[in-house]
Amino acid sequence: QLQLVESGGGLVQPGGSLTLSCSISGRTISRYVMGWFRQAPGKEREFVTAISRDRLNTGYADSVKGRFTISKDDVAENTMYLQMNNLKPEDTAFYYCAADSAVMYPNNYYSTMSSAYHYWGEGTQVTVSS
C-alpha cells in the first residue's frame, strides 16, 4: 500500500509563496502519475496540477497557471513538490497529493480527474490571508 504524506502548508499573505511537499514511502516516484488537488470549505475537490510518470507532461488548472509549478525530486525520487507563487486568498484550501500507477497508460500520461488516482494523502492546509 503506497502512503503519501503532505507537508509545507501554512498561513501566508497574499502575494507570498509556499512550497508543498508530498513524500511517498517504499517506492520510487517515477512509477506513478502524481497530482495535486484542493478543497475549500463548502466546495468540491478540484484539480490543481498533475505530472506524468516520465515528468515530461504537466497540466495545470487555469486558475493556477503561471503561478504554480509541479515537480518530482530528481535525486531522492520519493518526493513531489508544488511551488506556489503569488498566492491569492482564493487559493485557500486543503491541498491533497494523489498518485496512481496508471499501468494501462503511456509514461507521458496524466489525469485531471480525481477518480483516476488510487492513492491519496491526508492533506495540508494552505491559508492565504492578510
Side-chain angles (χ1 to χ4, degrees):
Q1 182 76 2
L2 187 69
Q3 292 186 323
L4 283 66
V5 179
E6 302 95 335
S7 61
L11 173 65
V12 63
Q13 292 188 340
S17 298
L18 276 178
T19 301
L20 303 184
S21 300
C22 174
S23 297
I24 68 171
S25 60
R27 308 284 176 86
T28 58
I29 209 163
S30 59
R31 296 179 59 178
Y32 298 93
V33 176
M34 307 289 296
W36 288 97
F37 292 77
R38 66 186 182 186
Q39 188 166 17
K43 293 189 177 181
E44 299 277 327
R45 187 173 297 190
E46 65 175 5
F47 169 76
V48 177
T49 180
I51 187 167
S52 59
R53 278 195 301 271
D54 63 7
R55 312 165 193 257
L56 296 181
N57 264 351
T58 57
Y60 295 90
D62 288 343
S63 58
V64 306
K65 275 181 185 175
R67 300 188 297 122
F68 290 13
T69 304
I70 188 172
S71 62
K72 291 181 177 180
D73 192 309
D74 288 329
V75 178
E77 293 195 341
N78 65 351
T79 306
M80 173 180 67
Y81 302 102
L82 179 62
Q83 175 67 42
M84 304 185 294
N85 297 325
N86 189 22
L87 282 160
K88 303 176 180 181
E90 52 263 43
D91 294 318
T92 296
F94 221 72
Y95 283 71
Y96 299 89
C97 74
D100 196 84
S101 60
V103 294
M104 301 297 290
Y105 296 92
N107 286 337
N108 63 350
Y109 160 88
Y110 69 85
S111 177
T112 63
M113 305 293 293
S114 60
S115 57
Y117 295 85
H118 185 72
Y119 303 102
W120 291 83
E122 295 191 350
T124 185
Q125 176 69 41
V126 172
T127 302
V128 185
S129 175
S130 55

